[in-house]
Amino acid sequence: MTVTVVPLVADDEELARAEALLAPEELARARRGTPAVHRRRVLLRAALRSVLAAELGTDPRGVPLRTAPTGRPELPAATRLDAGCSAGGLLGLVAVGRGRRIGVDLEPVAPWTPDVADEGWLHATELRAIALLPPGARPVAVARAWTRREAVLKARGTGLRDDPATVVTGVGRTGGPVAGWTLHDVPVPDGWVASLAAAPDEETPR
């Protein structure tokens, strides 16, 4: 697997170069949002195409990339590649797996408040584990619990169409199996947390 951190900041000239790599339907999808959302979507999709092009030995515009109704990137089975991407504010993440199904999620770390416990997606065992952590460690732990859930749901191909409460993660441990998937904690800059879910026995992401 390869995982690439993508800064989602660019001037107008860089944005235009990124737009030139996208298919018409990708551009149309990117434009369904505010200018800031459009910019992030274009830069992330262009980065995904560029990473896949390097894997396939082709031009980014020639990558046979499609989008599932759930928003998940799709490639022909013959490529033996699976891909995922995620954005959190001004940072993005692109992941590619060869011969393995994957899912990835990136989130900015938000302050911990007791209201998070009332949102219903954390399991009772997770809430107990979070309560035992020092207050300063709780925001990252909660963000990690969410990214692990969403990475699994993206790997399944359902995304948040499935209830995130059905995936229970381990608070306070690094990676490991969750809901039949192997979880990896992805190194990202301070202020963000990222997780990658892969079919079992996958290599550690590089």
Side-chain angles (χ1 to χ4, degrees):
M1 289 182 293
T2 60
V3 180
T4 305
V5 176
V6 183
L8 301 179
V9 180
D11 59 28
D12 290 345
E13 187 175 322
E14 292 170 313
L15 181 66
R17 286 198 296 269
E19 287 179 328
L21 302 182
L22 271 54
E25 60 270 21
E26 292 171 324
L27 276 174
R29 180 183 176 87
R31 287 176 177 140
R32 295 190 211 116
T34 65
V37 169
H38 166 249
R39 186 175 295 263
R40 288 197 299 270
R41 286 175 176 170
V42 167
L43 294 174
L44 188 63
R45 192 71 172 193
L48 177 59
R49 281 190 166 274
S50 295
V51 170
L52 289 169
E55 292 279 348
L56 295 169
T58 189
D59 182 272
R61 288 166 290 193
V63 173
L65 183 62
R66 295 290 180 267
T67 302
T70 58
R72 193 179 194 280
E74 288 187 335
L75 292 143
T79 66
R80 299 195 70 249
L81 295 179
D82 194 36
C85 56
S86 182
L90 298 180
L91 197 69
L93 205 63
V94 168
V96 177
R98 184 172 288 276
R100 297 280 180 167
R101 180 88 167 185
I102 63 168
V104 67
D105 190 56
L106 168 77
E107 299 289 340
V109 177
W112 159 262
T113 69
D115 293 342
V116 176
D118 298 328
E119 293 175 0
W121 58 271
L122 283 163
H123 190 269
T125 58
E126 294 171 308
L127 288 170
R128 287 194 292 270
I130 290 167
L132 294 173
L133 294 173
R138 291 172 190 168
V140 169
V142 171
R144 179 75 65 196
W146 178 264
T147 61
R148 287 175 174 173
R149 275 174 167 74
E150 194 160 358
V152 167
L153 296 177
K154 288 179 177 180
R156 287 179 181 171
T158 59
L160 293 176
R161 293 185 181 186
D162 279 357
D163 184 354
T166 61
V167 180
V168 181
T169 70
V171 173
R173 63 181 173 84
T174 302
V178 170
W181 300 85
T182 299
L183 267 289
H184 302 280
D185 295 343
V186 178
V188 289
D190 290 343
W192 283 269
V193 167
S195 300
L196 184 144
D201 302 321
E202 179 56 283
E203 60 182 300
T204 302
R206 54 184 168 87

